[in-house]
Amino acid sequence: MMTEEELVARIAWFYYNDSLTQTEIANLYDLPRLKVSRLLEKGRQQGLIHVRIHSRFEGCISLEHRLKAHFELQDIRVIPDADPVGTDINHRVSVGAANMIVSHIKPNDLLAIGFGETVMATLKNLGSFIQTKQVNVVALAGGVAAYMKGVSHLDASCDVNLVPAPLRVSSKAVAKVLYNEACVSDILIASSTADVAVISIGSLTQLDKATMYQMGYISLGEQKVLQRKGAKGDILGYFFDAQGNVLEDIKLHEELISVSPKKLRDIPLVVGVAGGTVKAEAILAALKGQYINALVTNETTAAKILELVANSNGSHTRA
């Protein structure tokens, strides 16, 4: 009579090497199919069976599990790097982001969107889905021109609400006036109650390549001042430090027409979309600040984030 360990080994051999179905194996040993399934699972749990994945996605899957567990994320996609590394990261990441959103959003849901090239590419990839499922789209910040690259690809029948104001205005007083306008405040209030949001994460190390700079909302001089104050990145124009804390007493923040990062925490699913190791520190800070609970990034960036986490933990340990 066979021991259970031998039976598990034989079943595993037939299942993984001979490609027999669980039903076929059950018939061979006169066992219920459910028993075969349970023995395979027991073998994996006890370390008798090791499954090796030989795929270019193997590293991505491992990174996903580690990041999801460490930051308690609701969802994550790590996109394999192109060859050569860095080729068209925004496009590749935007495809992954669109796939993630499709799996979470339901007909007639409200999708809130930030600005930036990757988010606009994501919106473009979602075009037919938004139309078919009648998903409502609302902006999280002002700056109509910044949204047109994505919105222009949506069907005219899609319900899209943009904030009729710039992202940054000339003074705190002007910002206050605009916030008091119903056409502005109503959209921002609605966006903070969305079912799903998708945002980009800016990095101060990008300098002249940063979206805020390219749109003319911040100067290189202002970026350098923010760096000296400890800023690592921004979400919707708000800059935060390495721990994810939004910087205080920043003139820029008082002049923004935008949902604050803290209000994003009220949205059930907030997808951060960002690729490139230059953004690793900013993404990590956004995760620490809990402004996002889902992430789409590329393989080398995910690995860099985990490296930064390990280095941070090591420095605390030595201290």
Side-chain angles (χ1 to χ4, degrees):
M1 183 177 179
M2 282 187 289
T3 63
E4 184 177 85
E5 181 178 344
E6 182 183 356
L7 180 59
V8 168
R10 289 177 178 273
I11 287 173
W13 183 272
F14 284 126
Y15 187 68
Y16 291 106
N17 290 341
D18 293 337
S19 300
L20 295 186
T21 66
Q22 292 183 14
T23 299
E24 289 171 333
I25 297 169
N27 292 335
L28 278 176
Y29 289 103
D30 194 24
L31 296 169
R33 192 201 63 80
L34 185 58
K35 174 73 171 179
V36 173
S37 178
R38 286 175 176 170
L39 286 172
L40 285 169
E41 180 59 29
K42 189 173 183 179
R44 284 190 289 268
Q45 291 176 354
Q46 293 180 343
L48 300 174
I49 300 171
H50 296 275
V51 180
R52 176 71 175 172
I53 302 172
H54 294 282
S55 165
R56 69 192 181 107
F57 292 100
E58 179 185 356
C60 298
I61 294 168
S62 173
L63 292 167
E64 286 175 353
H65 282 301
R66 292 165 63 192
L67 284 167
K68 187 173 185 179
H70 187 84
F71 294 104
E72 298 182 352
L73 297 173
Q74 289 192 29
D75 204 351
I76 185 167
R77 298 284 192 282
V78 174
I79 309 303
D81 288 320
D83 189 16
V85 174
T87 302
D88 203 10
I89 289 178
N90 289 339
H91 169 71
R92 294 171 62 78
V93 171
S94 72
V95 172
N99 289 336
M100 176 185 286
I101 292 168
V102 165
S103 68
H104 285 280
I105 210 160
K106 303 185 295 297
N108 301 309
D109 270 358
L110 182 60
L111 172 65
I113 55 173
F115 54 84
E117 183 179 344
T118 312
V119 173
M120 291 304 101
T122 300
L123 191 61
K124 178 181 177 180
N125 292 327
L126 286 169
S128 59
F129 175 81
I130 288 173
Q131 180 185 1
T132 304
K133 299 298 181 180
Q134 297 183 311
V135 175
N136 302 304
V137 179
V138 62
L140 284 160
V144 174
Y147 285 92
M148 294 316 298
K149 281 187 178 181
V151 172
S152 63
H153 292 282
L154 300 181
D155 188 88
S157 63
C158 295
D159 187 356
V160 181
N161 289 282
L162 301 180
V163 181
L167 171 63
R168 185 183 184 182
V169 294
S170 58
S171 68
K172 179 180 179 180
V174 173
K176 185 176 180 180
V177 170
L178 287 173
Y179 274 120
N180 286 331
E181 292 291 333
C183 61
V184 172
S185 62
D186 287 354
I187 293 175
L188 292 176
I189 290 170
S191 65
S192 62
T193 63
D195 300 287
V196 177
V198 55
I199 60 171
S200 62
I201 301 168
S203 169
L204 271 176
T205 57
Q206 292 180 285
L207 295 177
D208 61 339
K209 292 183 173 61
T211 299
M212 288 282 287
Y213 174 78
Q214 292 187 339
M215 291 194 303
Y217 287 123
I218 190 172
S219 67
L220 290 176
E222 286 178 304
Q223 289 187 72
K224 291 177 181 178
V225 170
L226 288 165
Q227 282 181 316
R228 288 197 293 269
K229 289 179 178 290
K232 293 299 180 184
D234 79 283
I235 287 176
L236 302 175
Y238 288 89
F239 287 83
F240 46 82
D241 63 20
Q243 298 306 313
N245 301 308
V246 174
L247 298 182
E248 298 181 354
D249 301 322
I250 301 298
K251 181 175 178 287
L252 164 64
H253 294 171
E254 297 176 341
E255 299 169 352
L256 291 174
I257 307 299
S258 173
V259 170
S260 71
K262 292 179 181 179
K263 288 186 178 180
L264 292 174
R265 295 170 181 161
D266 296 329
I267 299 175
L269 185 74
V270 181
V271 182
V273 186
T277 54
V278 69
K279 291 193 173 185
E281 281 189 300
I283 297 170
L284 176 56
L287 289 166
K288 288 181 177 180
Q290 298 182 330
Y291 304 126
I292 60 174
N293 54 17
L295 175 65
V296 183
T297 191
N298 64 302
E299 191 172 357
T300 52
T301 305
K304 182 63 177 179
I305 293 169
L306 286 168
E307 179 187 327
L308 291 170
V309 170
N311 291 341
S312 175
N313 291 340
S315 64
H316 290 320
T317 301
R318 288 191 294 273

